Amino acid sequence: RPIQESNNTSRRARSTPIYEDVQGYLMKFGYLPESDLETGNNLRDGSQLHDALRTLQTFGNIPITGKLDEATKQLMKRPRCGVSDISPTAGQHRTKR
Amino acid sequence: YTLQGQKWHHVNLTWSLRTRRLDKVDHGWVRSDLNKAFQVWAKYSKLTFREVNSESADILVFFEKGYHGDGYPFDGPGQVLAHAFFPGTGRGGDAHFDEEEEWLVADKTSKDGTSLFRVAVHEFGHSLGLSHSSAEDALMFPWYQDLKSNFELPNDDRIGIQVLYGAKNDKIWGDIPAYRPTSQRPDPSTTVPTISSTARTVITKSMTSITNPITPVTYTTSRPMPPRRPPVAVVVDDKPDFCNTSFDAVSIIRKDTFFFKGKYTWRLGPKGVYAGYPALISRLWYNLPEDMNQVDAVYERLDGKIVFFIGRQYYLFDGNNPLRGYPKPLTTLGLPEELDRVDAAIVWGHNSKTYIFSGTMYWRFDDETGQMELDYPRDISSVWRGAGYNIDAAFQWHDGATYFFKNRDFWKFNDLRMRVEQEEPRSIGEFWFNCT
């Protein structure tokens, strides 16, 4: 049965979940290769994540630390476009109607 | 700006809103805002947009939620608000907005809502062929930002759309002379407007080939100076090969090292040369003179402003943008009227003073008076021992040492011993660009 929502729940607060899945975010927007989704390799070494975070921080014009710091978390929470930053999302422009 | 690689091959585009039911907002206002967003791009390009009621319009606009059949599901309110497809057939050009967002239309504002116009103008940038830009004030920055009421298309986006589709009229072309359409360029035979199908933007533009030797400039000062040696450059695809060239200027700007040669610049960061370089200098610093064949010296002031020396004048930039009132003659800095150009300019970290080099002499600049200090100029060899005369470039790098460039070689200057570390110069290409 659907859970009845409280009238006090702020729509915006509910709508901005913290991106706990950092890898998912980085893959979604082109900072980590999505190929691992196919191979099942979810384990990445620290340097891969570090480099991906640095690139994200560079793109987002926030301090480049390579770490998931507060500024990066805030950036990841901001409303954004779904198109990939690093390269056109594979297939996106090729998909036929 | 970044071009995705695809573009429309016609400029009279049609669009259609295909969502009939919009729960929370008025259909008419939505269409009005979408039209307004299209007109932002139309204002600065040759594109025109016409709304039609047809499935076969070039750009179809949908409001969707969750999984909606394109492999890019929406995530409910917040986070990802929309996406769009780059130009092409079928789904190409279409824009999808997350129906579950709290969309605000007709310029309404709310703490909890999102302006449909603001998001639409970004998404339609994708529909036209623009990728995301890392320029924070650009419309194509991935994270949406509020627009000012007196909104004008930022330079980053404006140049991007004009490279793809040309500008609306000559007045706008006048702002960005390097980007005139083929028909308006003085010599069409030198024009190769290409867009890489692999994207990430390499656009070749109308420009004077630098394969032709640049005429040496001769000093006319009372103190005789030798004419500058013509630059030596091996040219591949009309761009100098950084392994086999001298450089006009080198400078640390925003912590990266920029190498300038002819109309091009390379940007060197901690991981080497950035992708997308060399780039036309005019793409990074707007409104430099159209006939500019080279810069003489560049440096970043302590206040972050960037100074370009070109011939007898200097230009001041705030980021990419030229400041009003420039260029100014070198004489306004207190340099002699006879000086045809400067060779190099640096802010020396040991005393935060600005040094200007030209020929055999150098000057020290007093920031308080805005003039060169008394007792200058001095002979370069008296202080910068081993650096030589008629240098091409000088800058202080992150290691604290000052580097002097001449022809294809450079000297590292030991700032504590005040002499070059070794008499024999080293190869610029090998050291700075890992050339073998």
Side-chain angles (χ1 to χ4, degrees):
Chain A
R1 191 176 65 176
I3 297 170
Q4 188 69 39
E5 286 185 14
S6 162
N7 289 335
N8 296 329
T9 306
S10 157
R11 180 182 178 82
R12 182 55 48 172
R14 181 169 56 82
S15 70
T16 52
I18 295 173
Y19 254 97
E20 290 177 350
D21 181 7
V22 179
Q23 288 196 33
Y25 187 98
L26 294 170
M27 277 196 286
K28 187 171 185 176
F29 299 114
Y31 296 95
L32 281 174
E34 289 188 281
S35 55
D36 287 2
L37 291 175
E38 293 292 327
T39 60
N41 174 20
N42 293 322
L43 297 175
R44 297 175 189 280
D45 61 41
S47 67
Q48 257 186 306
L49 278 175
H50 181 265
D51 286 351
L53 283 169
R54 283 180 62 89
T55 311
L56 171 70
Q57 290 159 344
T58 305
F59 215 103
N61 290 280
I62 59 173
I64 301 165
T65 63
K67 296 173 183 167
L68 186 62
D69 50 23
E70 193 53 37
T72 309
K73 287 178 187 168
Q74 291 303 320
L75 180 74
M76 293 167 78
K77 277 194 234 174
R78 284 175 59 182
R80 60 159 293 153
C81 169
V83 175
S84 175
D85 297 336
I86 300 303
S87 62
T89 306
Q92 205 163 15
H93 64 275
R94 295 188 214 106
T95 312
K96 303 298 179 193
R97 183 179 294 132
Chain B
Y1 63 91
T2 306
L3 307 182
Q4 181 269 344
Q6 307 272 99
K7 64 173 279 190
W8 296 102
H9 297 292
H10 54 294
V11 292
N12 50 337
L13 299 172
T14 54
W15 68 275
S16 185
L17 174 62
R18 302 314 295 168
T19 303
R20 300 192 183 283
R21 185 181 61 83
L22 284 168
D23 284 346
K24 303 163 194 140
V25 288
D26 184 279
H27 203 271
W29 283 117
V30 169
R31 288 171 49 214
S32 171
D33 273 11
L34 296 177
N35 180 58
K36 198 171 126 191
F38 278 118
Q39 294 315 314
V40 168
W41 297 106
K43 181 179 175 185
Y44 294 92
S45 70
K46 290 194 182 303
L47 294 168
T48 61
F49 298 94
R50 184 167 57 90
E51 185 183 7
V52 294
N53 183 13
S54 169
E55 281 281 345
S56 58
D58 296 311
I59 298 170
L60 301 184
V61 180
F62 295 90
F63 283 77
E64 307 276 12
K65 60 181 176 183
Y67 288 87
H68 52 278
D70 64 0
Y72 305 96
F74 283 126
D75 52 5
Q79 295 297 334
V80 173
L81 309 189
H83 57 234
F85 296 83
F86 296 113
T89 55
R91 190 171 273 145
D94 292 359
H96 297 172
F97 296 83
D98 189 345
E99 191 182 323
E100 294 190 283
E101 303 299 336
E102 194 76 45
W103 293 111
L104 298 172
V105 295
D107 294 331
K108 285 182 184 153
T109 56
S110 160
K111 187 172 55 130
D112 288 338
T114 304
S115 158
L116 176 63
F117 166 72
R118 171 64 187 94
V119 175
V121 74
H122 172 104
E123 297 307 327
F124 295 157
H126 291 312
S127 301
L128 301 173
L130 293 173
S131 282
H132 282 154
S133 167
S134 59
E136 200 166 7
D137 61 348
L139 278 183
M140 296 313 294
F141 191 60
W143 294 272
Y144 305 115
Q145 297 174 99
D146 290 336
L147 298 180
K148 294 176 185 170
S149 56
N150 57 347
F151 161 74
E152 289 287 329
L153 194 62
N155 270 333
D156 190 71
D157 308 291
R158 185 169 59 126
I159 295 172
I161 201 68
Q162 291 181 350
V163 165
L164 284 174
Y165 300 105
K168 176 72 87 194
N169 54 45
D170 285 335
K171 183 176 178 299
I172 295 174
W173 282 122
D175 293 345
I176 311 168
Y179 297 97
R180 288 178 180 165
T182 307
S183 61
Q184 295 177 23
R185 292 175 186 161
D187 181 8
S189 65
T190 63
T191 304
V192 189
T194 59
I195 300 171
S196 162
S197 60
T198 54
R200 304 313 296 178
T201 320
V202 178
I203 306 295
T204 308
K205 299 242 176 0
S206 167
M207 57 178 298
T208 306
S209 170
I210 55 174
T211 53
N212 299 326
I214 297 166
T215 308
V217 181
T218 307
Y219 277 91
T220 56
T221 56
S222 54
R223 192 187 296 270
M225 291 181 179
R228 173 172 279 191
R229 182 176 148 173
V232 180
V234 174
V235 175
V236 179
D237 293 332
D238 87 1
K239 294 170 187 167
D241 170 15
F242 56 50
C243 289
N244 294 292
T245 186
S246 59
F247 290 92
D248 302 327
V250 185
S251 184
I252 305 287
I253 300 172
R254 308 293 191 258
K255 297 182 180 175
D256 287 332
T257 314
F258 284 78
F259 292 77
F260 296 86
K261 177 67 180 182
K263 293 188 173 184
Y264 288 96
T265 183
W266 289 262
R267 183 176 187 171
L268 191 68
K271 291 185 175 178
V273 178
Y274 281 77
Y277 288 82
L280 284 171
I281 299 169
S282 56
R283 271 191 55 200
L284 284 105
W285 287 282
Y286 309 131
N287 287 14
L288 283 168
E290 192 175 357
D291 57 352
M292 183 201 74
N293 287 319
Q294 68 177 83
V295 300
D296 290 326
V298 183
Y299 79 101
E300 182 177 343
R301 293 193 332 195
L302 291 174
D303 64 0
K305 302 276 195 313
I306 301 161
V307 185
F308 276 73
F309 291 93
I310 301 173
R312 291 171 170 270
Q313 296 180 310
Y314 69 102
Y315 298 72
L316 192 60
F317 284 81
D318 186 0
N320 308 99
N321 300 306
L323 293 183
R324 286 180 186 277
Y326 293 85
K328 288 183 177 176
L330 296 179
T331 50
T332 60
L333 295 172
L335 290 167
E337 202 171 325
E338 299 81 13
L339 207 66
D340 285 326
R341 62 162 187 271
V342 303
D343 291 332
I346 61 169
V347 176
W348 203 42
H350 296 277
N351 57 8
S352 299
K353 299 280 188 182
T354 304
Y355 290 83
I356 309 281
F357 298 81
S358 183
T360 60
M361 310 303 287
Y362 78 97
W363 287 258
R364 196 166 89 171
F365 188 70
D366 185 339
D367 278 317
E368 287 187 9
T369 64
Q371 292 290 304
M372 296 301 158
E373 290 190 11
L374 298 174
D375 293 342
Y376 292 85
R378 293 177 179 173
D379 191 292
I380 292 175
S381 64
S382 65
V383 172
W384 309 94
R385 282 177 293 174
Y389 295 141
N390 302 301
I391 58 174
D392 289 337
F395 65 101
Q396 191 172 26
W397 203 47
H398 301 303
D399 61 357
T402 305
Y403 290 82
F404 291 89
F405 280 42
K406 185 167 181 176
N407 300 328
R408 296 178 188 178
D409 299 315
F410 76 94
W411 287 261
K412 183 178 181 179
F413 188 81
N414 185 324
D415 291 301
L416 299 176
R417 296 178 61 209
M418 289 305 285
R419 61 179 305 113
V420 293
E421 285 197 340
Q422 55 192 63
E423 295 293 326
E424 289 299 313
R426 300 176 67 180
S427 160
I428 296 170
E430 284 180 20
F431 183 82
W432 295 96
F433 296 100
N434 290 326
C435 302
T436 54

